[in-house]
Amino acid sequence: MDALTPMLRQYRQVKADHPDAILMFRLGDFYEMFFDDALSASKALSLTLTARGRGTANEAPMCGVPYHAADGYIARLVGKGFRVAICDQVEDARQARGIVRREVTRVVSPGTLTDPAHLAAREPNFIAAVVRDPAPAGRPGAGGFGAAMLDLSTGDFRVVEARGAGAAETLLDRLAGFGPREIVHPEGVNPADLLPVDRLGEPLFTAVPSWRFATDTAYRILTERFGTASLEGFGCEGQDLAIRAAGALLGHLKDAQKAGLRHITKMQVHEPGDGMGLDAVTRRTLEIVANARDAGRDGTLLEVVDRTRTAMGGRLLRDWLLRPLLERAAIEARLDAVALLVDRPAERVAVAAALDRVHDLERLLARAVLGTANGRDLVALRDSLRALPDLAARALPLAAPLFTRLLGGLDVLADLEARLGAGLADEPPLSVREGGLLRDGFHAEVDELRTLRRDSQSVLAAIETRERERTGITSLKVRYNRVFGWSIEISNANKRPVPDDYVRKQTLVGGERYITPELKELEHRLLTAEERLQILEYDAFVALRDEVAGTAARIRSTALAVATVDALLSFAITAAESGWRRPAMRDDGRLRIVEGRHPVVERILRGERFVPNDCLLDTADRQILILTGPNMGGKSTYLRQVALLVLLAQAGSFVPAAEAEVGLVDRIFSRVGASDNLARGQSTFLVEMNETANILNNATPRSLILLDEVGRGTSTFDGLSIAWSVAEHLHDTPAVAARTLFATHYHELTELALTKPRVRNLRLLVREWNDSIVFLRQVVEGAADRSYGLQVARLAGLPPAVLERAREVLHNLEADALQRDGRPRLARHAGGDGGRPGVPATPAQPPLFPIEDDPIVAAIRAASIDGMTPVQALMFLADLKGKLDGEG
Ligand SMILES: Nc1ncnc2c1ncn2[C@@H]1O[C@H](COP(=O)(O)OP(=O)(O)O)[C@@H](O)[C@H]1O
Ligand SMILES: [Mg+2]
């Protein structure tokens, strides 16, 4: 250790406090990384790896980035999931005795990124904390989970607590909805033991000391932050687990991350009642805000409806789609507002124009609070505030109660606008330390110094003139020299006695240089003016920035109002431009759609026309619709289109249909059979069944369920049996009798309609043309009689020989068919192995079809054995056998 250079020793000390971060260590004009950090960073950033102290015992791998370009590199490291600690020089190198003091000034991690250049403007960036209270022995279900979710870039802060049976699942669904990029958990707890974390994407996990999760500590941190005596006002009093997670999160950010938190002005309990619960699978299969392919925005519902003008409006709209409303009044309020704008094209344009002038108030505020906002950020804020009166004036005449409420009392923050207007230069530089930030007339001393700087030339010229007169030396010059500063130069030719206040400073070949107290004073002021200006401007700027931070609560509520107007306008623009209609909301279980379209598929169809389809579901006699039809017929599209339409309606949007009546849905469940979803890479039958179990355990009669080829992930008979019994269960169990759309390739399922009164069959119409088929994409009543698999295969270009052989095999299989009890005939006469792989030979499947329909069974039932003679009985038996043989 002793052999270490003082610098390396200092490095080691700092690094010891940040073992899990890449440490960027300021040395001169560079941030350097050493040892393992250098290895990781050089790889992640494609930097050249060098070494410090090469050939010595202290040789250290090293790489570095120039300090002025550091932000980009930091963001790239964080984007790759690293945590980065930035260690700066915290004293002036000129004043330092020995080695310059260095400290970590900030730690950046995926969940604490706030630089707009490195965040997706229209997506939130959440960091979460999770804590678990294990169930005490003997009382399973008494434990629970608490979680807190914070978007540091906007101040959006929510908490949730889940207790009792299914708590882990509930919490996971809520948490997944926020897509946290980082999760804070108590030290010593393996996150995988807390939750099935693999379902949360790939967040960075951060262990923090477990005392941060102590109830008292957490409670104190929260009440201190909000300046309240209790947490009553936030509705989470008594929710200890939620409070522990929330307090730990803020404590960690404040102390360890040194983050400003003043923009976090409230904490919201994230109630399931706030919005419709959409579990992670449903969100994914419906492709609401992220597509199934690469989780991007392409091909999502959000992409189609997002016409917002501001980033905060974009984030709010996204939130609306992920949490549609449950209360009719709230839905109607949004629909009223949208309807009004749909009818008024001129107002749409005017409101949009006002919104275009508003920047991201939430993130600008956050940057002010975090102390990272620069002059341009505050100018953007100022300009945004200037657009607000106009926005209010444009939108106010829109007589929908929602607009009136949002904009009637809109706080346009005129006082703050005035301060920023008076204080800020119009085009401040990026740097906050090099002056040029303030407007003239805002700060007396700044003005004076600027005048001094500007006037220095004429001041010096005036001195020169005056001194020439005073001395009578006409060639006297006031000159600047880099080494000696300002001085009076007198050439030897003109040498004569100089005034007493002249002090000789330097003798030149041809003359002398003098200084005077006045000149020295002026020089001092000139040289320090620049430095002083920079400091004064910086301080005044920071004070202004603090004023902004101090207005956090008001800015946040204004931002929310603006975002809401923006999101409503976005719905209106989409509706007006795409010819969408207002849905009629209902309290009963009816769902009627006339000429509905899939909002996304409709757009991406090239050349082909999207065929609109109707739908009628209703809890009284059309509760379950079984949809059959060939592969590629349009089943999945139809299912999703119905769900997306409901989702849009309850988010407050118009819908892509000629007419729609939507009986409120409390939850949408959407499941896709495993084999339809191989791309997901985890498509095991088990996953499929987990998801199905989740529906059967959580659906209510007000839910909407989509089952797309469920049961497909296993063998035919298993799958069919499961599909059958799931449908039966949804029909027969009042507690889960939800409106259900079931797309299946098991035609056998259509027979459910024969015995279950609320089950109806639908099929996708195709036209057969010789050996080929044409998809008509039209949904009609009735069951498909066959699957047209060979025709579809032909369309796909399977070689004719293969198709020919397939037709032969199909014929044989169909001739052999199934027994009425669902057992394949082969199982009988082949004695356990009929040479057909994959078909279970012996175990009997439960009967799937009502054997009552069988003429043989009917004959046996009808026969009165008592009244038969033995010969008659024998003839009856022979007759039955004849029938059976004839059938085969
Ligand atoms: N109503 C429709 N109008 C036009 N094209 C449609 C329609 N529904 C589906 N399609 C097209 O058919 C393709 C297959 O539909 P999909 O729903 O996946 O069929 P299935 O689930 O029956 O196999 C879709 O990708 C889409 O291009
Ligand atoms: Mg499908």
Side-chain angles (χ1 to χ4, degrees), residues 75 127 178 270 413 710 793 795:
I127 179 170
F178 292 90
H270 190 61
L413 295 144
V710 161
L795 284 182

Side-chain angles (χ1 to χ4, degrees), residues 249 297 307 316 338 504:
L249 184 57
R297 235 174 110 95
R307 305 294 296 275
L316 185 66
V338 172
R504 179 177 308 129

Side-chain angles (χ1 to χ4, degrees), residues 443-453 525:
H443 191 292
E445 198 181 346
V446 166
D447 286 351
E448 204 175 294
L449 289 167
R450 283 181 178 167
T451 312
L452 175 67
R453 187 175 56 184
R525 284 178 58 203

Side-chain angles (χ1 to χ4, degrees), residues 601 605 608-613 629-638 641 708-709 764 777:
V601 176
L605 278 188
E608 225 181 312
R609 190 181 73 93
F610 190 90
V611 180
N613 276 304
N631 223 331
M632 282 299 285
K635 300 184 295 296
S636 301
T637 307
Y638 179 74
Q641 129 186 352
D708 193 353
E709 310 274 15
L764 275 149
R777 314 281 189 213

Side-chain angles (χ1 to χ4, degrees), residues 262-376:
R262 270 199 283 171
H263 59 314
I264 302 162
T265 53
K266 62 177 179 181
M267 172 167 79
Q268 277 171 280
V269 176
H270 190 61
E271 298 275 8
D274 286 353
M276 189 191 292
L278 294 170
D279 55 63
V281 186
T282 301
R283 276 194 299 266
R284 191 171 54 228
T285 53
L286 292 181
E287 304 190 290
I288 300 172
V289 301
N291 67 37
R293 187 166 33 88
D294 60 4
R297 235 174 110 95
D298 288 355
T300 61
L301 180 65
L302 179 61
E303 192 202 18
V304 170
V305 299
D306 186 1
R307 305 294 296 275
T308 54
R309 322 296 289 213
T310 69
M312 33 185 188
R315 291 192 300 269
L316 185 66
L317 186 76
R318 183 179 184 278
D319 200 47
W320 282 6
L321 294 183
L322 287 174
R323 293 188 304 126
L325 297 171
L326 297 173
E327 275 180 33
R328 180 151 167 207
I331 296 168
E332 301 279 11
R334 282 189 196 166
L335 287 171
D336 286 344
V338 172
L340 204 71
L341 281 170
V342 167
D343 287 343
R344 291 188 171 75
E347 267 90 344
R348 282 205 303 276
V349 173
V351 173
L355 285 169
D356 282 340
R357 292 164 51 204
V358 182
H359 300 266
D360 194 339
L361 294 174
E362 289 174 333
R363 285 195 173 160
L364 289 171
L365 166 65
R367 285 169 62 70
V369 168
L370 297 166
T372 52
N374 60 26
R376 294 183 191 174

Side-chain angles (χ1 to χ4, degrees), residues 9-66:
R9 190 171 309 132
Q10 185 186 41
Y11 173 85
R12 294 256 193 207
Q13 276 164 6
V14 177
K15 177 69 192 173
D17 288 336
H18 299 275
D20 58 350
I22 289 192
L23 182 63
M24 285 192 162
F25 195 75
R26 179 74 179 264
L27 284 180
D29 284 345
F30 278 79
Y31 282 109
E32 304 285 4
M33 289 152 276
F34 299 103
F35 305 107
D36 286 350
D37 289 354
L39 300 178
S40 320
S42 65
K43 198 184 290 163
L45 300 173
S46 317
L47 297 173
T48 313
L49 194 63
T50 60
R52 189 176 175 94
R54 208 184 281 281
T56 72
N58 290 320
E59 176 166 332
M62 169 177 109
C63 65
V65 299

